[in-house]
């Protein structure tokens, strides 16, 4: 047994004859916070979607505690309760209150007792600072508040790993900070996370490892102190330089 929660082994993904992921290997251990950075179109979302099996890998494997993920309905839905995902576009149920949104998964997927669903919802809404809005509908919330509810809803499932795909990219600039602060707090509480982000300061300060992807490859995978201040690969250097300039 290795101590990796998730291992990505020789992962390739093609859409038609367009190879989007080209032999990706990496792993994540308990308590690690991995930020994935890279230009638009480099394959970051596809990688997260393969990890969550929203996309089926063309080649290679995703191992969860050393066991390959099976593509059957039951095994997959069980896996997805342990590996949660937070999307750029929140994906809340707009016809439900904040409270019901947070209880939907624990009720319908985990089939927990009503009291347990309630208690988890309250705990995690408090954790993200959204308890005062428990009876609000998503339409009454700002983007930053919606994203914090989406994070609380994901936490209610007690995931072992939480995947984030550009969680602040759809937000007005003044709301980015409140969401990043929640994620920073989760990191300090030991939650294992893989975060695709363009927030370089966040990646630099919060990640335990940063991965730079370019054109379907993991070009560099290192502690942020090295990757941001002394990148080994010329492509990483070029990307960071362009980023600093813009
Ligand atoms: N479902 C799909 N069908 C065809 N091509 C896709 C699909 N999803 C992503 N792609 C292509 O894969 C490449 C990588 O996309 P993506 O993973 O979304 O990159 P990123 O998240 O880094 O911006 C892009 O060229 C994109 O057009
Ligand atoms: Mg993307």
């Amino acid at each position: 047994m290795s101590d990796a929660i998730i291992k990505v082994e020789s992962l390739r993904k093609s859409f038609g004859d367009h190879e989007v992921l080209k032999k990706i290997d990496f792993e994540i251990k308990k308590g690690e916070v991995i930020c994935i950075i890279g230009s638009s179109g480099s394959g970051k979302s596809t990688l997260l979607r393969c990890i969550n099996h929203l996309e089926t890998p063309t080649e290679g494997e995703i191992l969860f505690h050393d066991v390959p993920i099976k593509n059957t309905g039951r095994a997959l839905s069980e896996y997805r309760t342990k590996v949660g995902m937070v999307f750029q576009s929140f994906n809340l149920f707009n016809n439900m209150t904040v409270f019901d949104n947070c209880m939907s998964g624990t009720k319908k997927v985990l089939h927990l007792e009503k009291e347990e669903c309630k208690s988890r919802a309250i705990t995690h809404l408090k954790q993200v600072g959204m308890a005062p809005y428990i009876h609000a509908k998503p339409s009454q919330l700002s983007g930053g508040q919606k994203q914090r509810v989406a994070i609380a809803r994901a936490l209610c499932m007690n995931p072992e790993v939480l995947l984030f795909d550009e969680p602040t990219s759809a937000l007005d600039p003044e709301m980015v900070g409140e969401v990043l602060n929640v994620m920073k707090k989760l990191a300090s509480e030991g939650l294992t996370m893989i975060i695709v982000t363009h927030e370089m300061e966040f990646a630099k300060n919060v990640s335990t490892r940063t991965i730079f992807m370019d054109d379907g490859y993991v070009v560099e995978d290192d502690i942020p102190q090295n990757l941001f201040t002394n990148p080994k690969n010329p492509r990483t250097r070029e990307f960071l330089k362009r980023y600093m300039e813009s």
Side-chain angles (χ1 to χ4, degrees), residues 59-246:
E59 270 181 53
E61 234 153 18
I62 314 288
L63 308 179
F64 183 65
H65 294 291
D66 290 325
V67 180
I69 305 308
K70 290 203 185 60
N71 212 351
T72 61
R74 182 128 174 257
L76 206 53
S77 78
E78 200 183 308
Y79 171 69
R80 290 215 186 102
T81 66
K82 294 175 181 151
V83 179
M85 182 116 159
V86 173
F87 300 89
Q88 184 177 328
S89 51
F90 328 124
N91 294 13
L92 295 175
F93 299 111
N94 286 319
N95 58 333
M96 290 185 193
T97 63
V98 163
F99 201 24
D100 287 336
N101 263 285
C102 288
M103 292 192 291
S104 58
T106 43
K107 233 194 257 175
K108 297 212 174 87
V109 182
L110 298 183
H111 306 291
L112 300 180
E113 298 280 344
K114 194 159 184 204
E115 286 311 308
E116 174 66 14
C117 299
K118 280 187 179 174
S119 128
R120 285 196 190 183
I122 292 165
T123 301
H124 295 299
L125 284 167
K126 278 187 187 155
Q127 195 178 10
V128 302
M130 284 301 289
Y133 298 87
I134 199 158
H135 298 300
K137 290 273 182 68
S139 60
Q140 297 168 295
L141 304 178
S142 71
Q145 291 173 327
K146 281 186 211 175
Q147 193 57 298
R148 287 191 279 148
V149 172
I151 294 170
R153 180 179 60 178
L155 291 171
C156 284
M157 304 296 279
N158 277 347
E160 283 188 51
V161 182
L162 204 46
L163 313 176
F164 293 78
D165 194 0
E166 298 198 27
T168 61
S169 293
L171 301 177
D172 292 333
E174 67 270 26
M175 288 162 194
V176 169
E178 66 189 70
V179 172
L180 293 181
N181 282 337
V182 163
M183 292 165 62
K184 197 168 171 181
K185 180 166 165 243
L186 297 177
S188 73
E189 290 164 357
L191 184 68
T192 311
M193 301 188 270
I194 304 178
I195 305 164
V196 171
T197 186
H198 292 291
E199 297 292 333
M200 297 301 153
E201 279 306 305
F202 178 85
K204 197 170 169 180
N205 296 327
V206 180
S207 74
T208 55
R209 259 167 57 218
T210 302
I211 288 178
F212 169 61
M213 279 184 72
D214 189 35
D215 190 28
Y217 293 98
V218 167
V219 169
E220 199 150 342
D221 176 350
D222 207 338
I223 57 171
Q225 291 81 348
N226 292 344
L227 192 133
F228 285 98
T229 54
N230 193 15
K232 290 189 195 76
N233 195 292
R235 279 146 85 186
T236 318
R237 276 202 291 275
E238 179 59 27
F239 172 79
L240 291 174
K241 186 165 159 269
R242 257 188 292 132
Y243 220 90
M244 294 313 167
E245 285 165 0
S246 66

